[in-house]
Amino acid sequence: MKKGITLIIFAFVFQSVSSQITHGFYRQYLPINTHAQISYLSPGSDLETILFDAEPVVRYHFYNNIAKKNLRVEPKGKAFYVSFRPHLRMYNSQSNPVRTPSYKIALGGQYSKLFHHSTTKAEQFSFSFESGHYSNGQPNCFLDPNILDGIPACDSLYLALANADDLSPLINRESGNFSTNWTEVIFQYKWIRADEENYMENKSHTLRLGYTLYHDKFLFLANFGGYSDNDIKLYGRHFINGLYEYSSSLNLFGKSTDFLFNQSLDYVTNADSRVPSLRSVTKFVIFPFPSDLGVFASFIKGRDNYNIRFVDNVTQFQIGLTWTGKMKLSLDMD
């Protein structure tokens, strides 16, 4: 059973990767991107053992004129798309090894402006806006697997949380409901330097600042997919996130190999006091293949990001494969 589910998830992840590597409807350059990845992830809680973690990403573009096929970024560009970002974990469990998989689907758009100073120097300012739904599709109470979510018996359990010192052992990890609508805004600045011979990007520094809001109405209009009053008091509504990334190359076994290093921070301002407010991810990626498929390792500290497991304060190591959507830009404007 476990082996079959594992093969299905691996196939799904790599299908999403291969779909985006091909040119056309799937494969488009975006300056603000989300890494698709599949990995080994060390346990974040004594209550569970993780076999692997998978975050495939698919974007269907309605329009994108930010970059041309010759890897040249236009001075001004914009894109509009649908984004689908599932998150799956397989645990060491016989009956329910894939627990509470989560799904993010959103309408999104990006705008980019390139300040081209020369064939070796440029700066890029980008803006991203996405809004949609985030949930794990589970029917039962956050605190009890034998009670449906949203009924009075479930609501009464939240009243007993006032004296609970630790939420981690109390949550329903097999079928607990997590649901909210969300909107995210991101601003990004990228400093680019290119090779003097071929004018291709060979070094960059990136700074990113974003804000995410959990809200009740889908796209601020429709009355479905929102959170319950009891849940939002626990996981909070306002999230501030930041990232610094450095990209360059190193000599690996006599071959020039691209790499990137990034540090991201995600802070929730108004969650329950027992929920970790900060999540930190330190990540290193190398690209030994002739594509943007990389091998990565990361160190994670703070709040877990797997839907209802936001109550867990984790210290984790992660290693695996990632498709970053990274594209080395050409500064040759002729």
Side-chain angles (χ1 to χ4, degrees), residues 284-334:
F284 180 78
V285 187
I286 61 171
F287 300 90
F289 314 109
S291 69
D292 49 7
L293 181 65
V295 179
F296 80 96
S298 61
F299 175 75
I300 302 163
K301 180 73 175 176
R303 186 178 66 255
D304 199 352
N305 70 337
Y306 192 58
N307 53 74
I308 66 170
R309 288 161 179 79
F310 64 85
V311 299
D312 291 341
N313 192 351
V314 302
T315 299
Q316 293 173 293
F317 173 74
Q318 189 174 27
I319 186 168
L321 297 174
T322 180
W323 181 83
T324 64
K326 172 180 167 57
M327 186 174 83
K328 297 180 71 172
L329 305 180
S330 171
L331 298 187
D332 185 1
M333 295 291 107
D334 296 331

Side-chain angles (χ1 to χ4, degrees), residues 14 26 47 69 82 124 140 208 217-218 230 241 255 283-284 296 304 310 312 317:
F14 284 104
Y26 295 93
L47 302 171
K69 289 184 179 179
V82 173
Q124 184 186 47
N140 292 327
R208 184 182 296 175
K217 292 187 177 182
F218 180 71
N230 289 319
N241 49 79
K255 176 185 175 183
K283 187 174 186 179
F284 180 78
F296 80 96
D304 199 352
F310 64 85
D312 291 341
F317 173 74

Side-chain angles (χ1 to χ4, degrees), residues 15-68:
Q15 174 61 35
S16 79
V17 170
S18 62
S19 295
Q20 298 183 70
I21 288 175
T22 58
H23 290 279
F25 191 52
Y26 295 93
R27 177 66 167 99
Q28 296 284 352
Y29 167 74
L30 289 173
I32 301 174
N33 216 330
T34 305
H35 294 189
Q37 60 190 43
I38 185 165
S39 65
Y40 162 77
L41 180 64
S42 64
S45 167
D46 294 337
L47 302 171
E48 298 172 305
T49 300
I50 302 168
L51 297 181
F52 67 82
D53 182 275
E55 297 183 59
V57 178
V58 177
R59 287 187 174 91
Y60 303 92
H61 291 253
F62 304 124
Y63 178 83
N64 188 331
N65 72 339
I66 295 177
K68 293 184 175 180

